[in-house]
Amino acid sequence: MHSNKNNTHQHNHQHGSCCGSTACTDQAKTVSEHSHHHEHDESYSHEHNHSHDVQETQTPELLANQRFSWIVNGMDCPSCARKIETAVSKIPEVKQAKVLFATEKLVVDADTDIRSAVIQAVNQAGFNLHNPDSKQKAPKSSRWKEFAPIIILSLMMLTSWGISSVNAPLGRIAFIITTVIGLVPIASKAWQLIRSGTPFAIETLMSVAAIGALFIDATAEAAMVLLLFMLGEMLESYAAGRARRGVSALMALVPEEALLVRNGEKKTVPVADLRPGDIIEVAPGGRLPTDAELLSSFASFDESALTGESIPVERMQGEKVPAGCLSVDRSVQMKVLSEQGNNAIDRILQLIEEAEERRAPIERFIDRFSQIYTPLIMLFSALVIIVPPTVFSQPWETWIYRGLTLLLIGCPCALVISTPAAITSALAAATRRGALIKGGAALEQLGRITTIAFDKTGTLTAGKPQVTDVQPVENINESQLLALASAVESGSHHPLAKAILQHTESKNIHVTEADHRKALAGIGVEGQLDGKRILVSAPGKLPESTLSDHWKQKIAQLEDHGKTVVTVMHDGQFTGLIAMQDTLRQDAIDAIHLLKDQGIKSVMLTGDNPRAATAIASQLGIDFRAGLMPEDKVKAVMKLNKDHSTMMVGDGINDAPAMKASSIGVAMGSGTDVALETADAALTHNRLTGLSEIIALSRATHNNIRQNIAIALGLKGIFLVTSLLGITGLWMAVLADSGATALVTANAVRLLRIKTK
């Protein structure tokens, strides 16, 4: 926990590739204008002209003289975040209390030091806080502690059923003991929440349901409802934990140590000790620990962690490279540009927090309904017991009996299970179809989607360039041209080189490796074969007179189709060109057509250049936005979200903020761990056609839930009237409640067999 006075931090810089640095999220910051010009030519030169004024934003806006922050332990779902906010907001000195669920951070604004009061309020609500700056990690709960309550309650229920089959009265006592033991932790949590300002949470609803069932001797049902509730809470906690681990994986992109170069000596130091102006060295295959400026003459960097694009970018001396990028093929020296906590990865983490802050938490239906339903039923039952005997001199025995009957009818067992039963069935059905949907809120939101924003590389396309055109000059054939190009590309790990080598191998063409192979800064690669120089180069790097107008026109046509073109020179003579392109996934067109049939519009968001984007979008018949960095994707998704419920589909780390900003984020199964864990759903089978399937499943689930609620409330309404009139008694109330639960469950199970196509 820490505080800071009214710090206003302004920071502007230009860099050559990616999202800029960000100030620490625990400081107040000033919003600056953001301009962005991006041109990405997927060629050997990989030139980026990119001016970027960093946008410093607030998460959330500072509303007092001081800001305090903690990490929260024990949150299972977004409703837990609301409970914490409610508890802390009751402290008079608190001006603002916000919980950022994705990063488990509590932010509190106040004019005075209220840390002890906040800690006490949060502890009273049943949660724990720890210092975000502490290097000591939060204690992890053991597996036994996590599963023990469910295991114990399940064993006790089995024992109770065994006893009741032999001795019914003794079995009833066993079920009562089981219910009481299961009720203790839930009722304790309900009491904590009542004291902290949330009197009608779902824990209160469950406590009332169990106690009401015990009142009319429905002991087995009371225990089962508690078990189902505890199981649902555990599964929700597991899903939330996986999502938060994705954020941890993003932070892991930045190494903990760096090789500092000072006065000719190299020393390994913690990344936290680096300051702007320091010189560091990054080995081949190493990641940059900070935003830095390249001091070496040139180097290639894999920026896919930030841009999602598969082809490495070649940087020249003096260009800026963001943290998290990987040095592809050589050791480089860099000058540190960003302060600790202000690098590109920190920026993406902040975007995730900001996107969550803009997106209101989805309240669970039962939690909302219980705020009205539970107190009304309790009040109504009490009035039925008290009013007739006191006002109309009716016999107390009769109306206590009827009041207890109403309490059972009002017992929301069927209502409580109506939503989770349908959701559980739907989630199981989705899993069978190769889709992972992380919880009921995500499932519900899927059915409301009207627009889907797709990332390009790795989502709509295969993510690996392939040779599409081989055009030699008249006096040689394709095999000779490929052999020449492969001679200098042999051993290279560059994606374009791999594409050429794989194509050559598929043609069974013999390749003789060239001698003295080397990369040429900003040009391409060269080598010598039989004493003659071979050069594979970007067309724009050749002397003006090298290519005829005929070949220039061919190159322009290929590039207009979104292809990357390289030229091959042999002994100073132009011998032909090779074109490559990232190809569409096989199921992309089918997926877009299926979504269109469901009334859903598709749009492509990509960091690639407009020509490549146009080529892919035209094949699919969809709109697109090109040249986008992570924060630009967030802005595009937010703009779409104003008028449409928008889904973001991606596979890269750079897509994570946009996924959070969208109504719902879906990751491809082949994507990065961060994308998979940040998303609300994932296509584990990696088929785009699965999108239309899970949307259809969500819509069917929504209808099923409405049917279940109608069954639960409809039967209760009928028996409420008959109980007040004395037509039905306790045994019929038990049958009504159990019957409604059985009907609701049977209806929900139908989702396991529903067809989504």
Side-chain angles (χ1 to χ4, degrees):
M1 72 205 121
H2 68 279
S3 66
N4 62 284
K5 299 295 179 183
N6 274 333
N7 294 332
T8 302
H9 176 80
Q10 294 183 329
H11 180 73
N12 296 298
H13 80 236
Q14 293 183 329
H15 65 89
S17 73
C18 197
C19 39
S21 65
T22 176
C24 176
T25 56
D26 294 328
Q27 291 179 324
K29 308 172 197 74
T30 301
V31 179
S32 65
E33 293 299 319
H34 171 87
S35 62
H36 180 175
H37 308 289
H38 181 83
E39 176 67 24
H40 181 178
D41 183 10
E42 289 189 6
S43 67
Y44 268 35
S45 62
H46 298 294
E47 292 184 329
H48 281 228
N49 298 315
H50 180 168
S51 173
H52 184 175
D53 295 328
V54 180
Q55 182 187 19
E56 300 292 354
T57 54
Q58 302 172 357
T59 312
E61 183 182 359
L62 184 68
L63 296 183
N65 291 331
Q66 297 184 76
R67 167 155 294 173
F68 306 92
S69 67
W70 296 264
I71 299 299
V72 186
N73 296 125
M75 290 193 298
D76 295 332
C77 58
S79 67
C80 295
R82 293 196 307 278
K83 293 167 185 173
I84 294 170
E85 289 174 354
T86 300
V88 176
S89 296
K90 287 187 173 295
I91 300 173
E93 295 84 2
V94 170
K95 297 295 180 65
Q96 178 178 225
K98 291 288 183 182
V99 174
L100 305 170
F101 183 69
T103 49
E104 298 182 279
K105 182 183 292 184
L106 168 64
V107 177
V108 178
D109 293 345
D111 292 328
T112 58
D113 189 342
I114 40 79
R115 284 175 284 190
S116 59
V118 171
I119 293 172
Q120 182 179 355
V122 173
N123 289 341
Q124 194 175 43
F127 303 91
N128 298 315
L129 300 176
H130 75 269
N131 189 344
D133 295 331
S134 173
K135 293 184 179 179
Q136 182 179 1
K137 294 184 178 179
K140 292 184 178 179
S141 59
S142 64
R143 290 284 185 183
W144 167 248
K145 187 176 180 181
E146 185 178 353
F147 293 108
I150 292 177
I151 294 172
I152 292 172
L153 193 61
S154 299
L155 291 174
M156 291 186 68
M157 285 191 66
L158 290 173
T159 304
S160 300
W161 260 311
I163 294 173
S164 63
S165 63
V166 178
N167 187 318
L170 197 60
R172 187 163 54 252
I173 294 173
F175 271 121
I176 292 173
I177 294 172
T178 301
T179 302
V180 170
I181 291 175
L183 187 60
V184 168
I186 297 173
S188 298
K189 185 66 177 290
W191 175 243
Q192 287 178 321
L193 292 170
I194 289 170
R195 291 176 62 195
S196 64
T198 310
F200 299 115
I202 195 168
E203 288 80 5
T204 306
L205 182 68
M206 293 308 305
S207 299
V208 171
I211 293 170
L214 287 178
F215 261 106
I216 46 76
D217 210 22
T219 53
E221 186 181 28
M224 177 57 74
V225 167
L226 292 176
L227 179 62
L228 289 174
F229 173 72
M230 292 169 68
L231 182 62
E233 290 291 293
M234 186 194 70
L235 292 174
E236 194 164 6
S237 176
Y238 173 75
R242 285 184 61 86
R244 288 192 289 259
R245 284 199 297 274
V247 176
S248 300
L250 178 59
M251 289 188 256
L253 278 176
V254 178
E256 295 181 358
E257 295 182 331
L259 189 61
L260 180 65
V261 180
R262 184 171 290 169
N263 299 325
E265 296 183 359
K266 298 177 182 179
K267 179 183 178 182
T268 301
V269 299
V271 170
D273 293 345
L274 295 178
R275 293 294 178 267
D278 287 345
I279 307 301
I280 59 172
E281 185 169 294
V282 181
R287 289 195 181 275
L288 270 66
T290 177
D291 294 344
E293 177 184 318
L294 180 62
L295 298 180
S296 304
S297 57
F298 75 97
S300 293
F301 292 92
D302 180 355
E303 299 185 357
S304 59
L306 294 169
T307 66
E309 302 307 323
S310 56
I311 298 174
V313 178
E314 196 167 88
R315 295 292 182 193
M316 305 299 292
Q317 185 175 12
E319 288 193 88
K320 283 78 174 179
V321 185
C325 292
L326 187 144
S327 178
V328 175
D329 52 11
R330 62 190 326 199
S331 179
V332 293
Q333 288 200 346
M334 316 282 296
K335 183 171 75 173
V336 175
L337 294 177
S338 60
E339 292 278 1
Q340 174 67 15
N342 290 359
N343 63 49
I345 297 296
D346 294 312
R347 175 64 178 165
I348 291 183
L349 285 168
Q350 186 184 3
L351 285 170
I352 291 174
E353 287 187 347
E354 289 170 353
E356 179 154 326
E357 178 64 22
R358 286 188 292 266
R359 181 180 170 195
I362 300 173
E363 291 184 296
R364 291 178 295 182
F365 171 78
I366 294 299
D367 209 7
R368 293 197 305 266
F369 193 80
S370 67
Q371 296 177 17
I372 303 172
Y373 182 83
T374 305
L376 283 179
I377 286 295
M378 294 173 67
L379 177 62
F380 190 57
S381 297
L383 290 175
V384 167
I385 292 172
I386 295 171
V387 172
T390 56
V391 177
F392 302 104
S393 300
Q394 297 291 315
W396 282 95
E397 295 81 358
T398 301
W399 288 100
I400 288 175
Y401 183 87
R402 291 182 182 181
L404 291 176
T405 304
L406 285 177
L407 187 62
L408 174 62
I409 291 172
C411 176
C413 298
L415 188 62
V416 166
I417 203 173
S418 62
T419 300
I423 288 172
T424 301
S425 297
L427 295 181
T431 303
R432 290 179 183 180
R433 291 168 170 82
L436 172 65
I437 303 173
K438 300 178 182 178
L443 181 69
E444 181 183 355
Q445 190 62 40
L446 278 168
R448 300 172 181 167
I449 294 301
T450 57
T451 300
I452 297 182
F454 290 94
D455 173 50
K456 182 180 77 70
T457 305
T459 302
L460 292 173
T461 67
K464 297 178 180 178
Q466 295 180 354
V467 173
T468 57
D469 301 87
V470 180
Q471 298 187 10
V473 294
E474 292 182 358
N475 57 337
I476 68 169
N477 56 39
E478 290 187 9
S479 296
Q480 291 173 312
L481 180 62
L482 288 169
L484 287 172
S486 298
V488 294
E489 298 286 14
S490 294
S492 174
H493 296 288
H494 196 290
L496 295 182
K498 286 183 178 180
I500 293 173
L501 292 169
Q502 288 170 0
H503 188 71
T504 303
E505 184 180 353
S506 70
K507 299 285 186 180
N508 296 318
I509 299 170
H510 175 72
V511 177
T512 302
E513 290 189 8
D515 300 321
H516 310 299
R517 300 189 304 276
K518 64 178 181 179
L520 301 177
I523 298 175
V525 62
E526 72 169 4
Q528 288 190 352
L529 188 62
D530 298 330
K532 296 181 179 180
R533 180 175 181 257
I534 301 173
L535 171 67
V536 178
S537 166
K541 300 302 179 181
L542 297 177
E544 182 67 28
S545 59
T546 304
L547 299 175
S548 66
D549 291 341
H550 169 73
W551 285 105
K552 288 179 181 179
Q553 187 177 1
K554 279 192 173 184
I555 291 170
Q557 289 174 348
L558 291 169
E559 290 182 341
D560 285 342
H561 285 87
K563 299 179 181 181
T564 298
V565 180
V566 298
T567 56
V568 182
M569 303 290 292
H570 185 216
D571 197 23
Q573 299 296 316
F574 172 69
T575 56
L577 57 84
I578 300 172
M580 288 153 282
Q581 188 175 39
D582 192 2
T583 55
L584 265 182
R585 294 168 57 95
Q586 293 183 352
D587 60 347
I589 295 176
D590 291 339
I592 298 299
H593 286 164
L594 287 171
L595 292 169
K596 188 175 181 180
D597 291 342
Q598 291 177 312
I600 296 171
K601 180 184 176 183
S602 300
V603 60
M604 182 176 73
L605 306 179
T606 178
D608 213 340
N609 67 74
R611 289 180 299 183
T614 301
I616 296 298
S618 61
Q619 293 180 60
L620 295 170
I622 62 175
D623 193 10
F624 71 92
R625 313 280 190 277
L628 304 179
M629 298 307 288
E631 59 265 46
D632 300 316
K633 288 187 178 182
V634 171
K635 288 182 178 179
V637 167
M638 287 179 62
K639 187 175 180 180
L640 289 170
N641 252 342
K642 288 181 179 179
D643 302 314
H644 312 278
S645 183
T646 303
M647 174 196 295
M648 177 67 197
V649 184
D651 71 325
I653 290 173
N654 64 302
D655 301 318
M659 286 178 181
K660 278 293 181 182
S662 64
S663 299
I664 186 168
V666 177
M668 301 301 295
S670 60
T672 63
D673 289 341
V674 173
L676 288 169
E677 302 298 354
T678 303
D680 303 293
L683 301 178
T684 53
H685 54 33
N686 211 33
R687 294 197 311 268
L688 280 173
T689 49
L691 291 171
S692 63
E693 292 182 9
I694 60 176
I695 288 172
L697 183 63
S698 172
R699 293 174 178 178
T701 305
H702 188 64
N703 290 334
N704 192 280
I705 290 173
R706 285 189 294 183
Q707 293 165 5
N708 286 347
I709 292 172
I711 292 171
L713 294 181
L715 284 175
K716 290 184 185 299
I718 293 170
F719 283 95
L720 186 145
V721 174
T722 57
S723 296
L724 280 176
L725 297 175
I727 300 172
T728 54
L730 281 175
W731 68 272
M732 187 59 73
V734 174
L735 180 63
D737 191 60
S738 301
T741 303
L743 285 173
V744 163
T745 304
N747 188 47
V749 168
R750 291 191 307 113
L751 290 169
L752 291 170
R753 300 184 298 273
I754 195 168
K755 294 182 180 180
T756 55
K757 288 187 177 180

